[in-house]
Amino acid sequence: MKTNSKNRFTAMLLIGALAVIVPTWVMASTAPCTLISNQATANYSVGGIAQTGITSAAATFNVGVKVIVSVTNNDGNEVTVVPGTNKYALKFTVANTGNAVQDYALTSEAAANGTASPYGGANDSFDGTTLAIYDDTGGTPGSFDGTDAVITSLDNVAADTGTKVVYIVYSPTDLAESNLETAVYFLKATSKWADSSAITFASGQPTAAQAGGSCDGGTTVDVVAGDGDGPGTDGNKDGAHSDDGAYEVSTAIIGVTKNKSVIWDTINYDNTPKYLPGAIVEYTITIANTGGAEATLSTITDALQTANLTLVSTFYDANLNTATPTSSTSKAFLVTCVANGCARACESASTTFTSANDADGIDFATPTITATMGGTGVLPVEGACAAGSLGASDSVTIKFQATIQ
């Protein structure tokens, strides 16, 4: 198992160098168990008279089995995962560069907490609970879709650069981690014979069902692993290889703030008013989403200290410097919002709500104000906005007034 991070750039340079020096006419590897037999012949003459040539005994051997598997993550960056019912895939390519058809047992391995992300994000800090490995036999080659199937192995991967694409797929239905937390996973492929039996790396007698070629189960050949050391639990030349990918959480970060300011009192009116009995206090509640995913708000509640405060049932007006404030709206709550990417009425103009227990979305039942955000409430379905939705960088503000007793 490697303890240092991958240097993909170096690997690309090496691959590029090999591409330069390996001629394009290189043929496929010789099949396992193929008999190689050669003889040497000496021709000579005696007294100027040619004699019958002398031929050596044949030098023979049977070609061994070269087992080389490599696993490569193809994502290029952390895969963003959002809490919910969608499925998110880490994409890997499993390659056979040996000289025999191989099967591969596949496993996904969760990295230990603190393991570095291969793409520079935060270190591993959580494990998913619902993961599976899928093939790439669905309707869109090279892309995970709903028609791919769960697998635990690959069968009959061709020799000489035969490749298969597979996915580690996470269903984050119970994901509760914070924004930008990271989960690192390894895909490990362990080489098997083509009949899915285990390989012993030594001199052996593979059958045609195992290694193909001219193997007959009675011919002894060398079986050698040539894989590298991946970042997972595999080692160097052990018939297995791994590579790592990572999920990065994108979720909502909801903040709630409540501010107050005195806007009028019975002595100073609106000229530097103070928090005196009879004064009107304006409260501002702001709910903001500073995360990377949409949240759905349900309710916002605020219990007033009604022994000392009385909710003003009529809202803002232009005459707060008079002894008796008046209102033409007769509504107690003002809502404004920011909705990036979708359109809401409260973006361009504030919307107002009564304090009565009705269907407009905000009600007051002593001592509690309750704002219902979804359904037909404060944030209904509008344009591309779902009911109650608060997208990334969105906010909603509710204002109301109360009189100090």
Side-chain angles (χ1 to χ4, degrees), residues 21-37:
I21 64 175
V22 176
T24 58
W25 45 261
V26 169
M27 300 178 68
S29 299
T30 302
C33 302
T34 299
L35 177 65
I36 305 295
S37 178

Side-chain angles (χ1 to χ4, degrees), residues 292-316:
E294 179 182 288
T296 301
L297 300 179
S298 53
T299 60
I300 298 166
T301 60
D302 188 351
L304 294 184
Q305 190 173 324
T306 51
N308 309 107
L309 294 173
T310 301
L311 180 70
V312 177
S313 59
T314 55
F315 208 68
Y316 300 94

Side-chain angles (χ1 to χ4, degrees), residues 120-217:
N123 290 348
D124 179 279
S125 59
F126 78 97
D127 296 333
T129 56
T130 307
L131 290 101
I133 299 172
Y134 284 71
D135 65 13
D136 187 45
T137 58
T140 308
S143 177
F144 176 73
D145 58 36
T147 59
D148 296 318
V150 175
I151 57 172
T152 57
S153 65
L154 291 172
D155 298 331
N156 300 315
V157 180
D160 295 317
T161 67
T163 61
K164 297 284 187 178
V165 171
V166 298
Y167 306 95
I168 295 176
V169 177
Y170 176 31
S171 302
T173 54
D174 58 352
L175 180 62
E177 273 63 34
S178 301
N179 202 52
L180 302 182
E181 286 199 61
T182 299
V184 177
Y185 279 90
F186 307 104
L187 179 75
K188 179 180 176 180
T190 301
S191 301
K192 301 284 187 180
W193 289 121
D195 64 357
S196 293
S197 60
I199 298 175
T200 299
F201 296 102
S203 295
Q205 297 178 333
T207 66
Q210 292 175 326
S214 56
C215 297
D216 57 9

Side-chain angles (χ1 to χ4, degrees), residues 19-394:
V20 172
I21 64 175
V22 176
T24 58
W25 45 261
V26 169
M27 300 178 68
S29 299
T30 302
C33 302
T34 299
L35 177 65
I36 305 295
S37 178
N38 293 283
Q39 294 174 294
T41 300
N43 297 303
Y44 68 100
S45 62
V46 176
I49 298 172
Q51 305 296 304
T52 301
I54 304 298
T55 301
S56 72
T60 63
F61 64 89
N62 293 89
V63 175
V65 183
K66 181 176 67 173
V67 179
I68 305 178
V69 59
S70 65
V71 178
T72 304
N73 177 256
N74 306 130
D75 297 317
N77 209 335
E78 289 84 10
V79 171
T80 298
V81 56
V82 178
T85 58
N86 290 333
K87 295 181 177 180
Y88 299 88
L90 303 178
K91 181 179 178 181
F92 297 86
T93 297
V94 179
N96 177 10
T97 56
N99 68 331
V101 175
Q102 305 278 198
D103 290 353
Y104 298 107
L106 302 175
T107 54
S108 63
E109 301 174 347
N113 282 3
T115 300
S117 166
Y119 297 111
N123 290 348
D124 179 279
S125 59
F126 78 97
D127 296 333
T129 56
T130 307
L131 290 101
I133 299 172
Y134 284 71
D135 65 13
D136 187 45
T137 58
T140 308
S143 177
F144 176 73
D145 58 36
T147 59
D148 296 318
V150 175
I151 57 172
T152 57
S153 65
L154 291 172
D155 298 331
N156 300 315
V157 180
D160 295 317
T161 67
T163 61
K164 297 284 187 178
V165 171
V166 298
Y167 306 95
I168 295 176
V169 177
Y170 176 31
S171 302
T173 54
D174 58 352
L175 180 62
E177 273 63 34
S178 301
N179 202 52
L180 302 182
E181 286 199 61
T182 299
V184 177
Y185 279 90
F186 307 104
L187 179 75
K188 179 180 176 180
T190 301
S191 301
K192 301 284 187 180
W193 289 121
D195 64 357
S196 293
S197 60
I199 298 175
T200 299
F201 296 102
S203 295
Q205 297 178 333
T207 66
Q210 292 175 326
S214 56
C215 297
D216 57 9
T219 301
T220 300
V221 295
D222 295 322
V223 181
V224 179
D227 55 88
D229 182 8
T233 59
D234 61 292
N236 191 44
K237 298 181 180 179
D238 63 353
H241 193 245
S242 66
D243 201 11
D244 48 357
Y247 292 108
E248 183 177 78
V249 176
S250 177
T251 190
I253 301 176
I254 301 299
V256 181
T257 59
K258 183 177 181 181
N259 295 314
K260 89 298 184 187
S261 62
V262 58
I263 60 175
W264 184 87
D265 71 36
T266 58
I267 297 174
N268 300 295
Y269 303 129
D270 61 354
N271 183 19
T272 62
K274 307 301 180 184
Y275 293 97
L276 304 174
I280 296 177
V281 179
E282 178 185 85
Y283 288 104
T284 301
I285 301 171
T286 300
I287 301 90
N289 180 3
T290 58
E294 179 182 288
T296 301
L297 300 179
S298 53
T299 60
I300 298 166
T301 60
D302 188 351
L304 294 184
Q305 190 173 324
T306 51
N308 309 107
L309 294 173
T310 301
L311 180 70
V312 177
S313 59
T314 55
F315 208 68
Y316 300 94
D317 61 40
N319 300 306
L320 291 178
N321 61 337
T322 64
T324 306
T326 60
S327 172
S328 60
T329 62
S330 297
K331 294 185 178 180
F333 304 97
L334 184 75
V335 175
T336 58
C337 64
V338 175
N340 295 303
C342 64
R344 289 196 182 278
C346 53
E347 277 190 281
S348 57
S350 299
T351 54
T352 53
F353 299 81
T354 66
S355 60
N357 188 3
D358 54 25
D360 69 354
I362 304 182
D363 301 319
F364 178 61
T366 306
T368 303
I369 296 167
T370 301
T372 300
M373 308 306 287
T376 58
V378 177
L379 298 177
V381 174
E382 293 182 87
C385 299
S389 67
L390 196 67
S393 302
D394 288 1

